Amino acid sequence: KGDTFQDRSTAVITPTRTGVIHERVVNTMLKLVGPLNHPREWFFTYGHEVGVAYDAAIERILKNPETREWKWILTYEDDMLPPPDAHVRLLEAAEKGYDACGALYFTKGVDRVPMAYGDPAQVDDFRPMTALRAQAGGAEEVNGLGMGFTLWKLELFKELPSPWFQTVVEKSGDSYSQD
């Protein structure tokens, strides 16, 4: 009957500041397994601040008569090296009822904080989750995600006005990325 069909069409957005992506990342991109028999198209942006780049790419996707009807957007930053099945694994997790689902990865530097934020029991909580909570291979509900390798329902961007992603610098000197 076809009642098990899940639309897995995906627009992949990769922002890069210079337009040059390291060969190791490109090799990983080429090995990324997509969902069989579903369209997937890459949208590269360069020369923009990353929040602006994401917004511009999403605008292009929504203006295109074909891609505006697709189901998913995958944000894939140019410093990520996900395993070949990461796209399919995110789809499987998201199809359990999530609007967005991100791969677990950690910040660069000494602290190595998981790029997953907040306790859903506290709506305004965006503290980094502890490494003890961050378990690879499972799904953990959080209030905020990093965008390095994250799957989003395209419908979200039709429902919410742009800009969707902003990097904020406050007068206190605190800076918050688009993540």
Side-chain angles (χ1 to χ4, degrees):
K1 296 180 180 180
D3 57 356
T4 59
F5 176 79
Q6 294 285 332
D7 182 0
R8 292 179 159 187
S9 50
T10 307
V12 183
I13 301 172
T14 299
T16 179
R17 293 195 193 285
T18 64
V20 178
I21 300 174
H22 191 278
E23 65 185 62
R24 188 168 171 207
V25 176
V26 171
N27 190 43
T28 302
M29 288 176 170
L30 292 172
K31 291 179 180 175
L32 188 67
V33 176
L36 295 177
N37 301 316
H38 294 267
R40 181 173 73 179
E41 185 172 334
W42 236 280
F43 292 80
F44 291 93
T45 63
Y46 66 93
H48 302 286
E49 184 275 325
V50 72
V52 172
Y54 279 128
D55 282 347
I58 291 169
E59 289 284 352
R60 281 178 38 208
I61 291 163
L62 292 176
K63 287 180 181 174
N64 181 308
E66 181 181 344
T67 56
R68 77 175 325 275
E69 299 305 322
W70 286 9
K71 179 75 176 197
W72 301 101
I73 287 179
L74 176 64
T75 56
Y76 186 162
E77 294 182 355
D78 68 352
D79 60 351
M80 299 300 292
L81 298 171
D85 64 345
H87 181 185
V88 174
R89 288 171 58 191
L90 283 182
L91 284 163
E92 290 169 351
E95 288 169 350
K96 294 177 182 172
Y98 297 104
D99 290 332
C101 192
L104 177 62
Y105 65 99
F106 296 79
T107 58
K108 298 172 186 159
V110 178
D111 295 336
R112 307 276 301 150
V113 177
M115 292 292 286
Y117 303 94
D119 179 355
Q122 301 174 36
V123 177
D124 292 332
D125 178 23
F126 287 95
R127 293 172 296 164
M129 71 186 310
T130 65
L132 294 176
R133 273 187 54 203
Q135 299 296 318
E140 178 77 34
E141 290 191 29
V142 295
N143 291 340
L145 297 168
M147 292 180 61
F149 197 82
T150 302
L151 190 69
W152 310 80
K153 280 188 179 174
L154 179 58
E155 198 63 33
L156 293 173
F157 303 101
K158 293 178 183 177
E159 295 173 6
L160 299 171
S162 67
W164 299 285
F165 302 103
Q166 295 182 18
T167 299
V168 177
V169 179
E170 295 183 350
K171 289 181 183 178
S172 66
D174 290 338
S175 178
Y176 302 92
S177 76
Q178 83 294 339
D179 292 309

